Amino acid sequence: MDSIPTSQPGANTYTERGASTALIVPYAGELEQADARLIRLAEFLGIRCEALPLDGQAVHSAEYLEKAMAERRGAFVLNPRTLERWVGANGVPAGLVTYLTSRFSHLLLHSCRPDPFDSKLVALLSQGALQSVQAAGGAGALYEVKKDTEDICGVFSGLAFGPANPANDRVFVPGSQDAGARELILIAGFPFLAAMKQEGCEILFLGSEDVADLSGEVGDTPLDGQFSRLVPQAMALRRIFGQESWHPCGQRACVIVDDPLLRKDYGFLNLESLLRLTQQHNFHAAIAFIPHNFRRSSQRIARMFRENPSHLSICFHGNDHTGGEFASTDTALLSAMLQIAQRRMDSHRAMTGLACDRVMVFPQGNFSEEAMQALRSQSFDAAVNTVPHPAHEPARLTLGELLQPAVLRYGSFPLFLRKPIRRLQNQDIAFDLFFGKPVLIVEHHDGFQHPESLAEIADRINALAPAVRWCNLARVASESILRRRAPDGTHQVRAYSNTVRISNTSRFVERFRIEWNNGGRQGAPADQVLKDGVPCPCFDAGPSGIGLSVEMAPGSSHNFSVVYRNGHAEVRSLGLRWNTKAFVRRRLSEVRDNYLSKNQRLLEAAKTLQRTFSKL
């Protein structure tokens, strides 16, 4: 049985400035597992929770609750198992329901089962609008999120996907009278999530029998399989606590194309055609550029990138793109490669006028935790990868880690995850955007044999999330933040990039508290925090991370960056043998991509030769 969780520091939320409120979760004897997990989810969303013990004498249940709640404010959770243990199997007294709907602004009914007690409770709470609880539809039934439910369901509004989970999902049978129940999510035509008003109290009815365990390891399992045990609960909690819970600050997306030189053609990719595609279908493409190629860019193509920053950009893609170069655990070598990569891209900018985002896309998806630490000490903004764990270390991330905009487990440095086009279903897109994760798509030159696939996914994302902002990776990382409102009016900001951009969109001076979390792991010490490049003297650093409090003028925007201490000596070169190997590998790769990729037999021979060189 799950123990009673305790609130995390700083997790308080409020319905009005200065008035403390919480999610009140009653228990009789012991806390139900579903309630313990609901508390963890609420705290994850920044909501303060209080577990309320119920005594064994429930004859005067309303009077007991009134006394117990005298000094408390909040939303009340109803778990039928807890109520049945407290009031007995005959059902909840009508007077208790009257008290609950008059005392609380929100009630959340969850963890329902298809039995008489639960059905009576649902009918009583809904005044007959919902008559009973039953098991969800048969095999193959889908989740259908009703249209025009953006106020609660967000980007999931209007989607249908599945299959539903018959082991967990329960639905409500509507009654004969229309008492104003609003159906939000259906399974096989029956409401799975519904809401209604009773005497100024909004009641949310949720048919999920259990809640997902945020501490449970999920590995590479698609997150949409957790939908019914996670997302409707998060929808309900955000509905109840609004801006006082952690919520995304906008929606971001970017297409990342690995490897190309900045020349007109690379393999099947034509960069001029790519620009036209981005303009016609309204998306942004970031070229993951190999610093080894810094002297080889076409001035014409570089100018095209400079003149179209809303559609095209570049970021770091390793250094030489040798086999597994950033899977190394040698911190001195990693630091040297990053120093060389940065000098190369500084020279590239001097030659072309084109800036490179300080975001690292790992070559071949291989990285080590030491590489993440090196990126942090070199004050990169973030890393991007398809694989969510280091090479040769198949760590299984927890659900809670994967629900954040970026993974913070490795070296306390943000790792944003991207997906191939073929793995992006509408529900995957909605899942990411709902929790503040940017939609990052990976493509290679050979994907442009059929550019219509990329156009189609861009169109789908734009239709699903009309407010999505397509931008370069630096902006994706800096604006992938979570915000909430504290009791004193301060805007609390959780940063997921070494550089974040904060905007005060109000007409008043506002106070912001920006926090860079270590993910519970000690990282490199911070030297300073910069505001638009100028040091801020009053930041604080501790075991949990770095914090900065600032006041911002109305309508203003500022960049805040953390600069970390780098104790490694400067390195100018990795030696003749390394450079020769890197040169040969890069040229063989280009021959493969530009010429051999259209002939499968020759392509396999080239890959064999490349593997031979990688072992030298």
Side-chain angles (χ1 to χ4, degrees):
M1 181 63 64
D2 293 41
S3 60
I4 301 174
T6 57
S7 297
Q8 300 172 351
N12 298 348
T13 58
Y14 301 81
T15 52
E16 58 185 74
R17 192 171 298 188
S20 175
T21 189
L23 185 71
I24 308 299
V25 185
Y27 66 95
E30 60 183 11
L31 194 68
E32 293 287 334
Q33 174 179 274
D35 289 336
R37 292 179 175 180
L38 184 69
I39 289 175
R40 290 196 178 95
L41 176 60
E43 291 179 336
F44 177 84
L45 295 173
I47 298 164
R48 185 170 64 87
C49 299
E50 294 183 15
L52 175 67
L54 302 176
D55 71 1
Q57 302 298 319
V59 177
H60 304 291
S61 53
E63 292 85 344
Y64 173 84
L65 280 180
E66 186 171 10
K67 182 180 294 185
M69 291 296 302
E71 302 299 326
R72 307 187 192 203
R73 289 174 53 85
F76 200 79
V77 172
L78 295 171
N79 184 324
R81 301 284 74 69
T82 297
L83 292 179
E84 185 176 19
R85 189 178 295 127
W86 189 42
V87 302
N90 290 332
V92 175
L96 177 58
V97 172
T98 300
Y99 167 77
L100 291 173
T101 55
S102 61
R103 174 63 172 77
F104 297 98
S105 62
H106 289 88
L107 299 176
L108 172 57
L109 174 73
H110 82 127
S111 195
C112 295
R113 300 179 186 180
D115 67 23
F117 184 92
D118 296 37
S119 294
K120 289 178 183 177
L121 176 60
V122 166
L124 193 58
L125 282 169
S126 68
Q127 294 185 351
L130 303 174
Q131 194 173 54
S132 61
V133 182
Q134 69 178 28
L142 301 178
Y143 301 110
E144 302 170 58
V145 186
K146 297 289 287 288
K147 292 181 179 179
D148 303 319
T149 59
E150 290 89 352
D151 57 323
I152 297 179
C153 301
V155 72
F156 282 94
S157 176
L159 293 186
F161 55 93
N165 180 2
N168 172 77
D169 300 346
R170 310 293 176 246
V171 294
F172 305 103
V173 178
S176 57
Q177 56 181 312
D178 181 10
R182 181 186 179 193
E183 298 178 347
L184 300 165
I185 303 176
L186 306 178
I187 300 176
F190 290 93
F192 172 69
L193 176 64
M196 68 178 301
K197 290 279 190 179
Q198 291 281 27
E199 301 179 7
C201 173
E202 183 174 54
I203 308 172
L204 293 153
F205 298 85
L206 175 55
S208 176
E209 189 168 317
D210 198 5
V211 181
D213 180 7
L214 294 188
S215 63
E217 295 181 343
V218 294
D220 297 332
T221 304
L223 293 184
D224 64 339
Q226 302 281 352
F227 176 79
S228 68
R229 299 169 61 242
L230 173 66
V231 179
Q233 291 84 350
M235 291 174 178
L237 291 169
R238 279 192 186 162
R239 169 69 169 186
I240 294 168
F241 291 93
Q243 297 300 305
E244 288 75 33
S245 61
W246 289 118
H247 60 277
C249 190
Q251 302 165 335
R252 306 289 181 267
C254 183
V255 174
I256 306 167
V257 185
D258 286 359
D259 302 342
L261 283 75
L262 294 192
R263 294 182 175 179
K264 180 180 177 182
D265 294 298
Y266 185 87
F268 291 98
L269 172 65
N270 178 284
L271 287 176
E272 293 176 342
S273 297
L274 175 61
L275 173 60
R276 289 193 293 272
L277 197 68
T278 65
Q279 293 169 333
Q280 292 166 2
H281 296 274
N282 188 28
F283 69 94
H284 186 101
I287 300 299
F289 183 84
I290 303 170
H292 176 95
N293 296 322
F294 75 103
R295 291 192 182 96
R296 305 173 63 202
S297 293
S298 157
Q299 287 293 337
R300 175 185 172 188
I301 296 300
R303 183 173 65 253
M304 183 181 77
F305 274 65
R306 291 198 313 271
E307 293 173 350
N308 295 277
S310 61
H311 292 287
L312 298 173
S313 62
I314 64 173
C315 67
F316 285 79
H317 192 35
N319 176 40
D320 290 312
H321 202 296
T322 57
E325 60 184 351
F326 280 96
S328 171
T329 58
D330 184 334
T331 56
L333 174 61
L334 291 163
S335 179
M337 286 191 292
L338 289 174
Q339 291 178 35
I340 293 168
Q342 290 176 90
R343 282 198 299 272
R344 285 171 166 176
M345 296 316 296
D346 287 344
S347 297
H348 184 262
R349 181 173 186 172
M351 290 184 288
T352 65
L354 182 61
C356 181
D357 292 340
R358 293 182 63 78
V359 176
M360 176 63 72
V361 175
F362 290 115
Q364 302 167 334
N366 293 321
F367 71 97
S368 64
E369 185 159 352
E370 289 80 1
M372 298 290 280
Q373 294 168 349
L375 287 165
R376 180 184 174 101
S377 66
Q378 294 283 344
S379 296
F380 272 69
D381 288 335
V384 174
N385 208 47
T386 310
V387 180
H389 55 75
H392 315 302
E393 297 179 35
R396 293 177 61 84
L397 297 174
T398 66
L399 179 59
E401 288 176 307
L402 286 173
L403 290 184
Q404 299 184 71
V407 175
L408 297 174
R409 176 184 287 200
Y410 312 117
S412 302
F413 188 73
L415 177 69
F416 289 88
L417 300 179
R418 61 181 186 173
K419 297 184 180 75
I421 287 177
R422 65 183 180 276
R423 288 176 51 190
L424 269 182
Q425 303 298 319
N426 285 348
Q427 62 268 28
D428 301 318
I429 298 166
F431 203 105
D432 285 350
L433 294 177
F434 183 84
F435 286 101
K437 297 162 66 72
V439 178
L440 300 179
I441 304 165
V442 56
E443 191 54 277
H444 293 81
H445 77 94
D446 51 1
F448 289 88
Q449 296 178 77
H450 304 288
E452 62 274 6
S453 296
L454 182 55
E456 188 271 337
I457 193 66
D459 289 344
R460 273 203 286 132
I461 293 171
N462 289 328
L464 181 65
V468 70
R469 175 178 294 179
W470 292 88
C471 48
N472 60 37
L473 287 178
R475 192 150 192 175
V476 163
S478 70
E479 295 181 353
S480 291
I481 59 177
L482 300 179
R483 286 175 64 165
R484 68 177 176 183
R485 193 76 176 241
D488 62 357
T490 299
H491 296 272
Q492 295 181 323
V493 177
R494 184 170 286 172
Y496 289 90
S497 170
N498 276 359
T499 297
V500 292
R501 185 168 182 81
I502 309 298
S503 299
N504 176 12
T505 57
S506 78
R507 296 178 296 145
F508 309 97
V509 173
E510 298 279 9
R511 186 170 181 81
F512 288 79
R513 172 69 180 177
I514 309 164
E515 297 177 350
W516 288 266
N517 194 296
N518 280 340
R521 293 163 175 81
Q522 187 64 41
D527 265 354
Q528 54 187 342
V529 176
L530 307 178
K531 176 184 176 183
D532 296 330
V534 178
C536 297
C538 299
F539 72 92
D540 52 89
S544 62
I546 299 163
L548 175 70
S549 296
V550 294
E551 288 189 345
M552 291 179 55
S556 64
S557 295
H558 300 282
N559 290 321
F560 298 89
S561 304
V562 182
V563 179
Y564 291 96
R565 195 171 305 157
N566 178 21
H568 291 280
E570 185 175 0
V571 176
R572 306 299 301 182
S573 174
L574 295 174
L576 179 61
R577 186 173 185 272
W578 179 286
N579 292 339
T580 300
K581 175 182 174 181
F583 178 88
V584 172
R585 180 184 177 88
R586 291 273 33 89
R587 296 313 184 272
L588 286 176
S589 295
E590 289 169 28
V591 170
R592 176 199 64 201
D593 293 343
N594 286 317
Y595 305 106
L596 303 183
S597 59
K598 296 161 185 156
N599 185 308
Q600 191 61 36
R601 183 175 296 177
L602 291 176
L603 180 60
E604 290 300 324
K607 288 181 178 178
T608 300
L609 184 60
Q610 185 182 49
R611 287 192 292 268
T612 301
F613 269 99
S614 68
K615 297 176 182 178
L616 296 178

